[in-house]
Amino acid sequence: DIQLTQSPSSMSASLGDRVSLTCQSSQGIGNYLSWYQHKPGKPPKPMIYYATNLADGVPSRFSGSRSGSDYSLTISSLESEDIAIYYCLQYDEYPYTFGAGTKLELK
Amino acid sequence: EVQLVESGGGLVQPGRSLKLSCVASGFTFSNYGMNWIRQAPGKGLEWVAYISSGSSFIHYAGAVKGRFTISRDNAKNTLYLQMTSLRSEDTALYFCARRGAAISTSYFDYWGQGVIVTVSS
């Protein structure tokens, strides 16, 4: 199975900060990677798909990038509503696998 | 508006069975593959099972293979998950999720609110 390693596991940042989260794949998955924002009591919300594409309704302060087997989710200027756990998902092949998540908190 | 509504959860004893349902609306259900994903208390997300639009292709996570069965009724716009031989580690919030239609968008683009399954004696 493909393993996704997210880093850091948690981080704290201030409002307005630029934040970058990373997801590393154990094998090649091309661009078949998506990012999800998960808040308590709600279903996960897709943020980025195909590594770099913004999902519907997602603010432009979010972006996705890829360098080899490393994928990143960047928030250009952190807002309070961005506080959540973020998961990456590979959908290159079944079993689809999620990373363990990065918990983003306010400093 | 796309909606996915799960039901059928509850408290069940270890070794017993339970069947979850997910009713879809707002899109042509028969055109989309569907999935079940779960989140155990205090843990991350775990994909459980997938079924293609016409039920031709089915995949399971290793942890549930042989115990869970995914199925669908396109006439009723409903997805199912039959869970047997339940274990305490199956305790989780279970989500149904739609898989996008195109190859590049075959991620989970819409999710239900989830249904809780608790396996305990």
Side-chain angles (χ1 to χ4, degrees):
Chain A
D1 297 357
I2 297 171
Q3 294 188 26
L4 298 179
T5 302
Q6 286 190 245
S7 60
S9 57
S10 66
M11 68 175 295
S12 60
S14 301
L15 296 178
D17 282 355
R18 181 180 181 88
V19 172
S20 285
L21 315 180
T22 298
C23 177
Q24 183 178 61
S25 177
S26 63
Q27 61 190 73
I29 57 171
N31 284 337
Y32 296 105
L33 186 112
S34 61
W35 290 92
Y36 294 84
Q37 178 190 72
H38 197 193
K39 296 181 179 181
K42 294 190 174 182
K45 175 185 177 181
M47 307 299 284
I48 298 288
Y49 69 94
Y50 207 56
T52 62
N53 294 270
L54 219 56
D56 289 346
V58 174
S60 59
R61 64 180 180 275
F62 288 87
S63 63
S65 63
R66 172 194 173 190
S67 175
S69 62
D70 292 335
Y71 302 80
S72 295
L73 173 71
T74 298
I75 307 172
S76 61
S77 180
L78 186 68
E79 297 193 8
S80 58
E81 65 188 40
D82 303 334
I83 300 307
I85 298 175
Y86 290 84
Y87 295 95
C88 55
L89 164 78
Q90 69 80 18
Y91 57 100
D92 182 52
E93 64 179 42
Y94 282 101
Y96 282 11
T97 47
F98 290 92
T102 292
K103 187 175 185 179
L104 181 55
E105 298 173 307
L106 268 181
K107 190 180 291 182
Chain B
E1 178 192 5
V2 172
Q3 283 198 314
L4 298 168
V5 180
E6 302 95 336
S7 62
L11 174 63
V12 60
Q13 294 179 328
R16 303 298 289 264
S17 300
L18 199 64
K19 187 172 186 177
L20 305 183
S21 299
C22 169
V23 177
S25 61
F27 66 102
T28 304
F29 181 69
S30 59
N31 286 349
Y32 290 84
M34 297 295 295
N35 295 264
W36 288 98
I37 297 125
R38 67 185 181 183
Q39 183 177 35
K43 303 294 185 182
L45 299 170
E46 178 187 23
W47 168 79
V48 173
Y50 162 77
I51 186 168
S52 62
S53 58
S55 303
S56 297
F57 299 99
I58 288 175
H59 299 283
Y60 296 100
V64 306
K65 199 168 188 177
R67 300 188 299 121
F68 289 12
T69 302
I70 189 171
S71 62
R72 63 191 295 163
D73 185 335
N74 285 343
K76 295 182 178 180
N77 288 347
T78 303
L79 173 73
Y80 303 100
L81 185 68
Q82 176 70 55
M83 303 183 293
T84 64
S85 302
L86 282 162
R87 306 166 181 168
S88 57
E89 54 264 37
D90 296 318
T91 294
L93 178 62
Y94 284 75
F95 298 98
C96 66
R98 190 182 84 167
R99 192 181 93 159
I103 291 176
S104 65
T105 62
S106 56
Y107 63 102
F108 309 133
D109 59 357
Y110 287 93
W111 297 60
Q113 291 293 318
V115 62
I116 296 175
V117 173
T118 303
V119 183
S120 174
S121 55

